[in-house]
Amino acid sequence: MSQLSDDIRRVLAAWKAPNQEQAELQARFLAHALAEEQPGSRECAPDHVTASTLVLSAEGGRVVLVLHPKFGRWLQTGGHCEPTDTSLAGAALREAREETGVDDLLLDEAPLLLSRHRVPCHENGHHLDVQFLAIAPVGAEPVCSNESDDVRWFGVDQLPDSTDESVIDLVHAAIARRQGTPSLG
């Protein structure tokens, strides 16, 4: 068993889901992690665990979103775990740094939310996305990487019209966590 696989299992088992829907996803993700030797490997088919990060500004009023080239939508940073990743939080932080160019992110190692969504990696496959929160330092300016079509700050109340519900839920959960209040019902 790999260190990453052990960490995925530990994180999913310890996480406190904010509501029943998230608890059901947690149970599904944990069952997958326990059944698969390498649940975070992109070769794990049809589903595999991924890591993403919503980057919030230091003052809490803006989020960084990246324009995903394959889907043409504004999303949080994130992607596949790599063989060199030793933790889920580390994978999420690596992806956030790569996709924003901001190195001094402060990552909250407790997941915010979980999201299961269909992807073309494998036939009938899904990303079992474990979503984290990172705080950018004051004055941080994201830089577009070769993995995105664009990257920029958006006001938490001024997200692009095409923003899907999962990203909106993630933004609300991030704001609630920063304010120390329960999120998503």
Side-chain angles (χ1 to χ4, degrees):
M1 299 289 177
S2 75
Q3 189 174 356
L4 175 62
S5 297
D6 290 342
D7 185 69
I8 289 170
R9 292 179 192 102
R10 182 192 59 75
V11 167
L12 290 171
W15 186 59
K16 304 293 187 226
N19 59 38
Q20 185 60 34
E21 179 183 341
Q22 286 289 296
E24 290 169 7
L25 282 175
Q26 178 184 16
R28 176 178 269 197
F29 283 30
L30 184 56
H32 169 81
L34 293 170
E36 299 293 336
E37 187 174 334
Q38 299 290 328
S41 169
R42 72 178 74 209
E43 284 76 33
C44 185
D47 298 346
H48 48 274
V49 174
T50 57
S52 67
T53 304
L54 183 72
V55 177
L56 188 66
S57 62
E59 79 283 351
R62 300 180 301 157
V63 294
V64 172
L65 297 179
V66 296
L67 185 58
H68 196 286
K70 289 182 185 172
F71 304 117
R73 292 188 317 212
W74 291 96
L75 303 170
Q76 73 276 13
T77 65
H80 290 106
C81 298
E82 299 295 338
T84 56
D85 291 327
T86 58
S87 72
L88 203 50
L93 184 58
R94 175 187 49 74
E95 286 285 344
R97 288 175 174 159
E98 287 174 2
E99 293 182 20
T100 66
V102 179
D103 289 327
D104 298 331
L105 297 170
L106 179 61
L107 185 80
D108 182 340
E109 293 192 11
L112 264 178
L113 295 176
L114 305 177
S115 175
R116 179 178 182 264
H117 49 273
R118 191 174 292 288
V119 290
C121 301
H122 300 286
E123 186 175 341
N124 297 318
H126 296 88
H127 279 175
L128 307 180
D129 195 35
V130 181
Q131 302 172 324
F132 294 85
L133 170 64
I135 307 301
V138 173
E141 286 302 325
V143 177
C144 192
S145 74
N146 60 0
E147 296 180 19
S148 306
D149 286 341
D150 197 0
V151 60
R152 65 174 85 150
W153 288 108
F154 291 94
V156 296
D157 294 325
Q158 299 170 328
L159 300 174
D161 291 338
S162 63
T163 305
D164 75 33
E165 202 61 37
S166 68
V167 176
I168 293 168
D169 289 346
L170 190 58
V171 170
H172 290 155
I175 293 166
R177 173 146 322 152
R178 288 285 289 178
Q179 294 173 345
T181 58
S183 63
L184 296 175

